[in-house]
Amino acid sequence: MSTTITSAPAVDTLLDRRSIRRFKPDAIDSQTVDALESAAQHAASSQFLNDWSAIRITEPSLKEKLAAIGRQDYIATAPLLYVFVLDEHRNAIIAETKGVDVSEQRYTLRYGYRFSQAQNDAVLALHAMETAAESLGLGCVILGSLLNDIPELIAALHLPKYTFPVLGLAIGKPDQEPASKPRMPRSMQFFDNTYPTDDTPVRELATFDDEVHRYYDLRNAARPVDAFSDQIASIAEDETALDRGLCDAEAQGFDLGR
Ligand SMILES: Cc1cc2nc3c(=O)[nH]c(=O)nc-3n(C[C@H](O)[C@H](O)[C@H](O)COP(=O)(O)O)c2cc1C
């Protein structure tokens, strides 16, 4: 358990957060599911547009399919699995009932600013659900890997025009106890008033590198993880993510250049 600065249970939950990638097979009861979904719905929403939806993945074959897309077996074993999508489809239907022209040139919720705000809303809702789950003793892992193949994911979930997948969230009773992953010295990440012009953002990097290198990830417990700078260096020149571009958003009716 991390050192807490207050005794508030919500803060303790947040400070104790770590990703869980192995779940007990126990089903999650419906009251808990209600609480989690309600917590997600109570997250803030930009201009109250409520422009996100979440797909519950309950079909085992669909879970397997998502595990194949994510190339992570534990996705299929999650008792609860959601895919959060940004959703301007529902708002198009609603606007249309009020006589608004939602054809591509006229519908302003399909442009870049709204897309990014809707993505924020979806992430905030997902995070509220994650925190609620953890406060109830459940474990979670966020799944960006579902975006390995965005067209395949869109097809599998039948996502309509003006929707786009954001992230998955796997939830279940934890069947592992990973150590808390180190976080940066706060001086590297919090600045006063303006972004520093000196070396403040990296001044304590060597200390952080050491700390990260001493951490053991349960996914590969045989060796310590790479130092933080080595991880950044390798991801900075990794080209595999280039085909996971938001250009797929165009096929869903969005125009992010505007
Ligand atoms: C946007 C996002 C996408 C992520 N995608 C995955 C994923 O696909 N698979 C996975 O195992 N972990 C995923 N994670 C979890 C991160 O690897 C994890 O949060 C990070 O290594 C820090 O570890 P911790 O959560 O245990 O503190 C994701 C986290 C975020 C925020």
Side-chain angles (χ1 to χ4, degrees), residues 9 28 59 67 74 86 97 104-105 141 153 159 163 182 184 206 229:
I28 309 299
E59 279 284 336
Y74 44 86
L86 67 86
T97 66
E104 289 208 340
Q105 296 315 312
V141 62
L153 181 63
L159 296 185
T163 64
M184 283 183 182
S229 1

Side-chain angles (χ1 to χ4, degrees), residues 17-19 21 72 74 141-146 167 179-181 183 215 219:
R17 201 205 61 76
R18 77 275 321 265
S19 297
R21 299 183 175 87
Q72 291 168 331
Y74 44 86
V141 62
I142 296 175
L143 299 166
S145 60
L146 297 182
L167 286 170
S180 221
K181 209 166 183 174
R183 290 307 196 248
Y215 175 83
R219 282 175 291 181

Side-chain angles (χ1 to χ4, degrees), residues 18-23 74 174-181 214-225:
R18 77 275 321 265
S19 297
I20 296 295
R21 299 183 175 87
R22 213 172 121 140
F23 304 103
Y74 44 86
D175 196 19
Q176 61 179 184
E177 275 191 57
S180 221
K181 209 166 183 174
R214 274 186 266 116
Y215 175 83
Y216 280 78
D217 190 324
L218 291 186
R219 282 175 291 181
N220 186 359
R223 60 181 282 270
V225 300

